[in-house]
Amino acid sequence: MAAPLGGIGAPHRPVLLKETLKFLAPERGGLFIDCTVGLGGHSEAILESSGDTRVVGMDLDPAALDYSRQRLAPFGVRFRAFQANFREIAEVLSRAGERDPRGVLVDLGVSSLQFDSPERGFSFRFDAPLDMRMDPTSGAPAADLLQQLPESEIARIIYEFGEERHSRRIARRIVERREQGRPVTTTKELADLVLGATGGGKRNQIHPATRTFQALRIAVNNELEGLGDFVEAAVDLLEPGGRFVGISFHSLEDRILKQELRRLSGQCQCPPRLPVCTCGARKVVEVLTRRPVTPGDREIDENPRARSAKLRACRKLGDMEKG
Ligand SMILES: C[S@@+](CC[C@H](N)C(=O)[O-])C[C@H]1O[C@@H](n2cnc3c(N)ncnc32)[C@H](O)[C@@H]1O
């Protein structure tokens, strides 16, 4: 059953909404794909912009789909949603009997519905089983990763995805606990362990466990895998002149979006000394954001979760423009 609307902790605000609408230009009408529909905030604004606009939404999380379907029910058949990974964008479009979208949006990361639902295990603000799966019916929960992975792999995940300088010490303590027959299974156990391993104390106003929790979530949901291929697939599906907008919250995600958009605008991304290009650069888009668009102070004040958001956008070239 759908969660009651408004039943989540913090009011949900779609990130960089004005900027997203500027680049997608949904007032033209037509078909838009929201690859991470979440609570349906961006989708709702797209649908409100014109009576001729349709949205196909997708999300991994069945709870997000329940929520957004209920929220967007007033739009009738103009909104349809599918449970799918955005890497399956082409299959979803064909299942929906649609083609040639005018715009594709991906708003990466975790939703407030996930973050504010104690039992999902995404947040150390609540004590709960350490799960963190966006699709709770598939894959292994975070506690299983901490129980099964070698210490070096746990340290790598926390270092790479969390940019946590105490990653080795945290991984050591996780493995010590499991060797003592007391594996880390809850959010509170992990948060306390990180506090102990890092000596507590907030860095840059961020709780010491934030980076470790972010890193684990990225690993549990394989969030970076196939992101570049997805951008290329999305661009290939767009109608000529169609727009792609990507919003990211992590430097590694932003780097993938940046490099992929550059590659698709014809700029080779191979390492400098490579004698021939192997990255497959081709000129099919015009990049619309030379630098990433970031939220202003006011948006960050109103919605602190927006603080690390970066938006990049491109326009698919028509055949005459490809040169
Ligand atoms: C930041 S939220 C999106 C919020 C949404 N734009 C709104 O206005 O409500 C990100 C959503 O993407 C979903 N998600 C993350 N990775 C995904 C993937 N690979 N495929 C499909 N959905 C994904 C999450 O489950 C989450 O609901």
Side-chain angles (χ1 to χ4, degrees):
M1 227 192 52
L5 297 184
I8 54 169
H12 171 69
R13 295 178 223 274
V15 169
L16 290 166
L17 180 61
K18 201 160 51 86
E19 296 79 356
T20 300
L21 294 177
K22 180 185 126 197
F23 286 113
L24 285 179
E27 63 284 353
R28 300 172 289 161
L31 174 68
F32 290 80
I33 315 292
D34 185 347
C35 296
T36 47
V37 72
L39 301 182
H42 285 104
S43 280
E44 180 176 70
I46 292 170
L47 287 160
E48 278 170 346
S49 63
S50 148
D52 293 329
T53 299
R54 307 187 309 286
V55 170
V56 168
M58 52 179 118
D59 205 292
L60 281 174
D61 186 343
L65 293 168
D66 280 350
Y67 188 99
S68 59
R69 283 188 186 121
Q70 189 182 332
R71 175 177 184 171
L72 302 175
F75 295 97
V77 292
R78 290 173 54 210
F79 175 74
R80 284 175 298 157
F82 297 81
Q83 189 189 7
N85 194 307
F86 55 64
R87 289 168 226 142
E88 301 163 305
I89 181 171
E91 292 89 321
V92 169
L93 205 58
S94 115
R95 251 164 68 203
E98 295 277 11
R99 51 185 298 181
D100 301 331
R102 293 212 148 156
V104 173
L105 168 67
V106 69
D107 174 20
L108 296 162
V110 67
S111 73
S112 348
L113 182 64
Q114 293 160 338
F115 198 63
D116 295 334
S117 300
E119 73 286 358
R120 303 290 300 267
F122 282 95
S123 172
F124 48 77
R125 290 176 298 140
F126 318 104
D127 190 17
L130 196 56
D131 190 318
M132 299 193 180
R133 286 171 297 174
M134 289 179 176
D135 175 0
T137 64
S138 138
D144 288 13
L145 295 194
L146 297 188
Q147 173 72 331
Q148 288 155 11
L149 292 178
E151 183 179 328
S152 58
E153 181 60 6
I154 296 174
R156 183 193 68 80
I157 287 171
I158 298 174
Y159 182 72
E160 251 179 52
F161 299 157
E163 292 165 338
E164 169 58 69
R165 61 191 161 107
H166 299 296
S167 56
R168 287 212 195 114
R169 209 182 300 164
I170 296 168
R172 177 86 285 268
R173 295 216 180 175
I174 290 169
V175 171
E176 268 168 17
R177 272 192 64 132
R178 81 186 188 204
E179 284 168 355
Q180 294 160 1
R182 299 184 304 123
V184 175
T185 58
T186 68
T187 50
K188 182 164 186 323
E189 284 167 1
L190 182 60
D192 288 348
L193 181 148
V194 175
L195 275 176
T198 58
K202 289 192 173 181
R203 286 205 331 257
N204 306 328
Q205 298 302 313
I206 292 176
H207 186 284
T210 306
R211 295 167 194 277
T212 300
F213 271 69
Q214 169 186 273
L216 263 183
R217 194 204 80 217
I218 290 175
V220 165
N221 297 291
N222 264 325
E223 291 180 34
L224 300 174
E225 195 185 280
L227 183 54
D229 290 344
F230 152 73
V231 175
E232 181 162 33
V235 162
D236 284 340
L237 290 168
L238 282 174
E239 68 171 19
R243 310 287 180 86
F244 171 86
V245 171
I247 303 173
S248 64
F249 294 83
H250 191 286
S251 56
L252 293 175
E253 286 169 349
D254 181 57
R255 191 187 312 158
I256 296 172
L257 290 182
K258 176 174 82 180
Q259 288 182 341
E260 195 54 23
L261 293 189
R262 285 194 178 159
R263 191 179 74 77
L264 294 171
S265 70
Q267 286 181 45
C268 174
Q269 299 301 299
C270 295
R273 275 195 291 272
L274 223 62
V276 282
C277 170
T278 56
C279 74
R282 58 194 177 109
K283 190 172 175 209
V284 285
V285 304
E286 173 196 8
V287 176
L288 301 173
T289 45
R290 250 166 56 85
R291 290 170 199 288
V293 177
T294 53
D297 292 343
R298 184 149 173 216
E299 177 166 359
I300 295 172
D301 279 350
E302 287 171 2
N303 179 15
R305 286 178 195 167
R307 66 180 180 271
S308 47
K310 288 190 172 146
L311 179 153
R312 294 186 185 267
C314 71
R315 177 180 72 88
K316 183 168 175 174
L317 299 176
D319 287 341
M320 305 291 283
E321 296 174 286
K322 286 182 186 162

